[in-house]
Amino acid sequence: ANYRRGFLTSASQAPDIAFAFDIDGVLLRSSKPIPGASDALRTLQERGIPFILLTNGGGKHETERVAEISEKLNIPLDPSVIIQSHSPFAELVNGAFGQEALENKCILVAGGDGDRCREVAERYGFKSVVTPGDIFTAYPGIWPFSKNFKDYYKSFARPLPRPIDPNDPSGSLKIDAMFVFNDPRDWGLDAQVIIDALLSSQGIMGTLSDKNGQSDLPNRGYQQDGQPPLYFSNPDLVWAASYHLPRLGQGGFREALEGTWAAITGGPAQGVELVKTVVGKPYALTYRFAENQLLRNRARLFSNGNLPPIKKVFMIGDNPESDIRGANSYESDHGSQWNSILVRTGVYSGGTPSYPPKVIADDVKHAVEWALKTSE
Ligand code: G3P
Ligand code: MG
């Protein structure tokens, strides 16, 4: 097949392979380039082989993250090449995943530095976004222990669209959906605010669900009283940061929230689950979203003619639980075979991986070399 160097012009010459790169632990470690990462991407660009960056990270807009990676790796990258943990949430502005359009609804966005994630949500098209920091700044008593961070929150908080007034529920702040866009910096405040909304009546902050009149039921919000849906964007329990040992990720926050939720409501023992949706790797929704973006980008690369289908997509990752597991189980809608390659430069540090990759490579450069060799 023609992955030779040189310029491909017609669609018939389009390569029938593509790559998906995880970022943390594969291309970068925290924000330091991993040796060989630039060469790996440059080789593919020279051969006109399409790739996407598929990360469970986020916290800033795709255009910003891509500019940073492009600068760090000294590689020209288009914003359309990256899919972050929260990228699929943009589809919820006009309605997706069985959820009504949220463009003009009031959504809570948790996680990230300051209100960077609010900015991202607004650039996606959400028109009414509140953060736990806004709520805390307006009502410090909602979580007494964040008083030490008062100035931090004050530096970016915005006035709430409505007050929290237990004497006037219908005029109070109503949360219609909740999103964890990135790792919360203040697990306590974010968990308290999310649980308040899940226990509320109709998402009205400051109220408690009357449990649909079934007062004998344990105190629980189970979305049968209009409580807001809760979306997580990244299931990673741990991830590879600059510290030499894996660090707790957004999955750690979810586990902490679920534990608190179970203690308050009686949890599974009472048949009460924390009703939530989790996107991100390893879930098929995220892989499908990524594959569609890869195909759109490729079609733009080769504007004329009908392109041959992509036979193989090589997913290169450092975390067996997300990158390898997701690629191994993803059933492509376009008949592409997703092949997982595990590298040793991130979370995985040897031994039998919890999910078996096609191959284990020392680093991303060796991974790409192996993939190109097996595709010739
Ligand atoms: O928060 C980022 C971390 O969960 C992992 O990111 O790029 O390895 O999917 P990545
Ligand atoms: Mg990773």
Side-chain angles (χ1 to χ4, degrees):
N2 51 15
Y3 314 132
R4 307 270 170 270
R5 291 176 187 282
F7 294 95
L8 302 156
T9 46
S10 79
S12 61
Q13 289 185 305
D16 58 4
I17 62 168
F19 284 76
F21 291 94
D22 172 42
I23 298 177
D24 290 308
V26 173
L27 299 173
L28 300 172
R29 185 81 194 235
S30 201
S31 57
K32 243 162 96 304
I34 287 178
S38 301
D39 294 347
L41 298 187
R42 192 169 297 112
T43 301
L44 300 185
Q45 285 185 334
E46 284 166 358
R47 299 173 187 217
I49 297 173
F51 61 83
I52 46 167
L53 308 182
L54 177 54
T55 175
N56 274 350
K60 53 191 75 162
H61 194 267
E62 281 69 18
T63 46
E64 218 171 307
R65 186 81 201 275
V66 153
E68 282 172 9
I69 296 169
S70 175
E71 192 263 327
K72 293 236 178 322
L73 296 181
N74 190 20
I75 286 266
L77 293 172
D78 184 275
S80 63
V81 87
I82 195 167
I83 287 100
Q84 297 189 109
S85 67
H86 43 70
S87 302
F89 290 159
E91 303 203 327
L92 282 160
V93 173
N94 301 316
F97 329 143
Q99 166 76 42
E100 57 170 353
L102 292 173
E103 182 181 7
N104 298 306
K105 299 282 187 178
C106 179
I107 65 168
L108 178 85
V109 168
D113 287 322
D115 69 344
R116 309 293 302 278
C117 289
R118 182 213 319 268
E119 285 166 11
V120 175
E122 289 177 335
R123 280 181 72 173
Y124 284 175
F126 293 102
K127 299 276 189 303
S128 173
V129 186
V130 299
T131 69
D134 300 341
I135 296 174
F136 173 73
T137 301
Y139 300 95
I142 203 162
W143 179 247
F145 308 113
S146 284
K147 62 179 185 299
N148 305 329
F149 315 128
K150 198 160 57 77
D151 298 343
Y152 163 68
Y153 287 118
K154 213 168 150 69
S155 70
F156 62 82
R158 285 196 206 153
L160 294 173
R162 281 185 167 184
I164 296 178
D165 178 356
N167 303 315
D168 174 17
S170 62
S172 279
L173 177 68
K174 181 178 185 308
I175 305 284
D176 296 304
M178 299 190 281
F179 295 89
V180 183
F181 262 54
N182 190 248
D183 303 85
R185 273 46 174 175
D186 185 348
W187 283 21
L189 171 65
D190 292 9
Q192 177 68 78
V193 168
I194 289 170
I195 286 179
D196 278 346
L198 288 176
L199 291 174
S200 72
S201 171
Q202 310 287 323
I204 298 169
M205 296 301 280
T207 67
L208 277 180
S209 166
D210 68 353
K211 295 168 274 185
N212 298 339
Q214 298 163 280
S215 55
D216 60 323
L217 287 180
N219 191 1
R220 57 176 157 184
Y222 37 68
Q223 286 178 334
Q224 286 162 10
D225 183 12
Q227 287 91 351
L230 172 59
Y231 292 91
F232 290 95
S233 63
N234 166 9
D236 288 357
L237 186 57
V238 294
W239 65 297
S242 54
Y243 193 63
H244 65 291
L245 297 176
R247 300 297 77 195
L248 287 173
Q250 191 184 131
F253 171 70
R254 179 167 51 74
E255 293 292 343
L257 185 79
E258 294 201 357
T260 309
W261 173 257
I264 286 177
T265 61
Q270 294 276 342
V272 179
E273 293 301 321
L274 175 67
V275 181
K276 68 196 180 284
T277 302
V278 188
V279 300
K281 298 174 290 180
Y283 299 116
L285 184 149
T286 289
Y287 276 82
R288 180 158 297 108
F289 185 88
E291 182 173 54
N292 289 335
Q293 191 144 325
L294 173 67
L295 291 169
R296 277 195 303 274
N297 297 353
R298 179 174 181 250
R300 264 206 319 274
L301 260 180
F302 300 92
S303 50
N304 56 349
N306 51 349
L307 290 165
I310 292 183
K311 285 208 186 84
K312 281 184 186 175
V313 180
F314 293 97
M315 169 83 212
I316 303 175
D318 71 303
N319 185 341
E321 302 290 326
S322 70
D323 308 310
I324 308 308
R325 178 178 181 182
N328 288 356
S329 57
Y330 176 56
E331 305 276 326
S332 162
D333 300 339
H334 308 272
S336 306
Q337 237 287 309
W338 281 62
N339 296 284
S340 58
I341 304 177
L342 179 61
V343 292
R344 301 176 188 278
T345 48
V347 166
Y348 171 69
S349 58
T352 309
S354 45
Y355 289 88
K358 201 96 179 162
V359 75
I360 298 178
D362 284 343
D363 57 31
V364 62
K365 188 164 186 293
H366 289 90
V368 166
E369 284 164 1
W370 177 85
L372 291 178
K373 222 188 343 289
T374 54
S375 308
E376 260 151 26

